[in-house]
Amino acid sequence: MVPRVRLPPEIQLAQRLAGNEQVTRDRAVRKLRKYIVARTQQAAGGFTHDELLKVWKGLFYCMWMQDKPLLQEELGRTISQLIHAFQTTEAQHLFLQTFWQTMNREWTGIDRLRLDKFFMLMRMVLNESLKALKTQGWEERHMEQLLALLTTEILHPDSEAPNGVKSHFIEIFLEELAKVGADELTADQNFKFIEPFCRIAAQTKDSLVLHNITRGIFETIVEQAPFAIEDLMNEMGAEDMSEGDEDLGEPDEKPPRGSLQGAEADVGEEQAGDDEDSAGTVLQFDYEAVANRLFEVASHQDTPSPNRKRLYKVIRKLQDLAEGIFPEEDIPENAYRKLQEGRRGRKTRKRLPKCRRQSKTGRGGQEDLHADLSSGSRRTRPGLTTDPTAPQEQPGGCGRRGARKRRRRPLAGARAKASCVGKRARWQSGETLRGR
């Protein structure tokens, strides 16, 4: 009898991770985390590149088999947090490298119904990798290693990353970086994070990658400039207030919540919370340094002409920001306030029922009509005489001079709505005639 060959632990875990039963997959994920912790704590332990590729293949199909959005989100969070089970930075980076290699290899086989959950998994893994960098104190050496890994596996022209992986990574990079480190990172550190994008934008021959980097990185920085200035001014104002409170030495006493002042304070806090939720914290950048770096790589002799033209447009915008000229016409505070007021106005318009909006306009029209009748004045159409016997020209007749205006055809929904309103009006008029 041939003895049974014992499979390595990585293959056994991968088989269970890709099992048909959810209970088996969940148990395998928990065992995998314990196995990673136990193996990386050993002095001669650690995983090889091939072993982690097998583990990630099992995790990939574990996510593939998972249904229901809430369970997918929970599983994606559990998988992405496995990076914190590794005890060394080198092991964490090898875990991330094998993840992106697995996504590049399996991407073309993902159907459109499963794309969303793998988009979410990529976002969560990037977020947890930045959190791991944050726990290490944003050390420059670890930062450079992570950026080199991401550039080699995703952004570099020689990488095997498909366009879908590249586009999604570029789209979510600044968003996840702002979520993790917007409160701690300085302008110089943020510049180091986007420096690889400057080089790739100047070197790439792929127009799609150039467009995504320009739109998702540099133009996003330009668009967020008013919010970045506003956050900086708020921080400076908060520091000045704290220094003033320390000089006075008097503790702040909040008014009781039932009083009028307490109610006003609560309303102000709620509005501030709404503003923070809608705007969010953005990253700070040294616009002059970014413009200089882009000009350095764009003006190189080997830079393709389309890349140079596209980057020069971004450079002009960044130079204007460095000189204090913003894309909006107003200063950052007014632009920020106007944007928030516009958002609040749209919210209140959505909450206000349509019948109330129509009644407001109808009341205004009735008041104007009563005012005209009380003053004794009559409204006459332009071009019409007050004498009823005089011949009058019909405004919409064939004898009207000039070209006829094309009537705007309503949409199908608007025509159906208008027909319903006409039926309702005829029904109401019939009821009134019967009453009379």
Side-chain angles (χ1 to χ4, degrees):
M1 183 175 180
V2 179
R4 186 177 181 180
V5 178
R6 185 175 179 84
L7 296 175
E10 295 80 17
I11 298 180
Q12 295 181 20
L13 286 171
Q15 290 177 348
R16 294 175 184 176
L17 286 170
N20 293 327
E21 299 295 332
Q22 183 176 351
V23 178
T24 305
R25 298 196 301 268
D26 294 343
R27 192 180 297 131
V29 172
R30 292 193 295 269
K31 287 185 177 180
L32 175 61
R33 185 178 185 86
K34 295 178 182 178
Y35 179 67
I36 291 173
V37 173
R39 182 162 177 177
T40 54
Q41 284 179 348
Q42 299 175 3
F47 290 89
T48 63
H49 183 267
D50 294 337
E51 290 173 347
L52 284 180
L53 280 177
K54 296 174 184 177
V55 170
W56 264 118
K57 185 146 190 173
L59 290 172
F60 177 85
Y61 284 102
C62 182
M63 193 70 179
W64 179 285
M65 299 292 292
Q66 185 62 61
D67 296 328
K68 300 180 181 178
L70 292 178
L71 296 179
Q72 292 170 1
E73 185 177 353
E74 182 181 357
L75 178 61
R77 190 178 297 108
T78 303
I79 292 176
S80 61
Q81 289 175 353
L82 288 175
I83 187 175
H84 304 294
F86 293 88
Q87 306 300 317
T88 61
T89 306
E90 290 74 13
Q92 291 179 349
H93 289 172
L94 185 60
F95 183 72
L96 291 175
Q97 181 184 10
T98 50
F99 164 72
W100 291 109
Q101 289 177 354
T102 303
M103 294 303 300
N104 295 341
R105 184 185 67 246
E106 304 289 344
W107 187 258
T108 55
I110 302 175
D111 56 278
R112 62 182 183 84
L113 299 177
R114 291 185 170 90
L115 274 178
D116 288 341
K117 59 183 176 183
F118 285 105
F119 278 141
M120 179 185 64
L121 180 62
M122 292 166 60
R123 182 184 288 271
M124 288 182 173
V125 170
L126 178 60
N127 186 279
E128 294 298 331
S129 62
L130 293 173
K131 285 182 180 178
L133 192 61
K134 180 180 179 179
T135 56
Q136 298 165 357
W138 304 105
E139 292 186 11
E140 186 175 357
R141 179 173 60 88
H142 295 156
M143 190 187 305
E144 292 177 353
Q145 291 177 356
L146 177 62
L147 291 175
L149 185 152
L150 296 175
T151 304
T152 303
E153 299 298 334
I154 306 172
L155 297 175
H156 199 273
D158 296 335
S159 67
E160 299 179 357
N163 289 331
V165 175
K166 289 182 180 181
S167 301
H168 187 63
F169 174 77
I170 295 169
E171 181 183 357
I172 66 176
F173 184 78
L174 284 185
E175 296 179 12
E176 300 305 317
L177 183 61
K179 290 178 185 177
V180 177
D183 297 331
E184 300 180 3
L185 291 172
T186 62
D188 294 337
Q189 290 174 325
N190 291 330
F191 173 73
K192 292 178 182 177
F193 274 105
I194 66 168
E195 202 275 335
F197 294 95
C198 299
R199 290 186 283 104
I200 297 300
Q203 296 174 2
T204 184
K205 296 180 180 179
D206 189 347
S207 59
L208 180 61
V209 174
L210 175 63
H211 172 75
N212 290 332
I213 292 178
T214 307
R215 184 70 190 92
I217 302 296
F218 303 125
E219 291 186 3
T220 301
I221 294 173
V222 174
E223 292 173 358
Q224 293 179 353
F227 302 105
I229 300 297
E230 184 75 16
D231 293 341
L232 186 60
M233 294 177 65
N234 291 337
E235 292 177 3
M236 295 173 63
E239 292 177 358
D240 294 340
M241 291 177 63
S242 62
E243 291 177 358
D245 294 339
E246 292 176 358
D247 295 338
L248 292 174
E250 297 179 357
D252 296 336
E253 296 182 358
K254 294 184 67 175
R257 297 186 66 86
S259 63
L260 180 61
Q261 295 179 356
E264 293 176 354
D266 294 339
V267 173
E269 290 177 358
E270 291 177 359
Q271 291 179 355
D274 295 340
D275 294 346
E276 289 178 358
D277 294 339
S278 59
T281 308
V282 296
L283 299 168
Q284 302 287 340
F285 286 96
D286 184 356
Y287 304 112
E288 185 177 2
V290 178
N292 293 338
R293 177 56 180 161
L294 280 178
F295 181 77
E296 180 182 353
V297 295
S299 60
H300 200 270
Q301 186 177 2
D302 298 337
T303 303
S305 178
N307 301 30
R308 184 180 295 111
K309 292 179 181 178
R310 188 73 182 268
L311 292 178
Y312 278 173
K313 293 180 181 179
V314 179
I315 291 170
R316 293 190 194 97
K317 296 179 182 179
L318 292 170
Q319 289 175 347
D320 291 341
L321 289 176
E323 296 174 359
I325 303 173
F326 290 85
E328 290 80 8
E329 296 178 358
D330 300 326
I331 58 176
E333 302 95 316
N334 293 342
Y336 177 83
R337 196 171 297 112
K338 186 181 295 184
L339 180 61
Q340 298 304 323
E341 290 176 358
R343 288 176 179 172
R344 291 196 197 116
R346 287 196 294 271
K347 289 181 182 178
T348 54
R349 259 185 256 123
K350 289 179 181 178
R351 293 172 186 167
L352 188 65
K354 186 176 180 181
C355 58
R356 291 182 58 186
R357 291 200 295 267
Q358 291 178 351
S359 63
K360 286 185 177 182
T361 57
R363 289 173 187 170
Q366 291 177 2
E367 290 175 0
D368 295 341
L369 180 61
H370 289 312
D372 293 340
L373 291 175
S374 61
S375 61
S377 61
R378 289 186 179 177
R379 291 187 179 180
T380 58
R381 292 185 181 178
L384 297 180
T385 61
T386 57
D387 188 3
T389 61
Q392 297 179 2
E393 182 182 357
Q394 297 294 332
C398 299
R400 188 180 179 183
R401 295 182 181 178
R404 296 181 61 184
K405 294 183 178 179
R406 295 182 60 186
R407 294 184 62 184
R408 187 176 175 184
R409 297 184 62 185
L411 299 176
R415 290 198 297 270
K417 193 171 183 181
S419 63
C420 294
V421 173
K423 291 179 182 177
R424 185 176 180 183
R426 289 195 296 271
W427 177 78
Q428 291 179 351
S429 62
E431 291 291 334
T432 53
L433 288 174
R434 292 194 196 99
R436 290 179 183 176

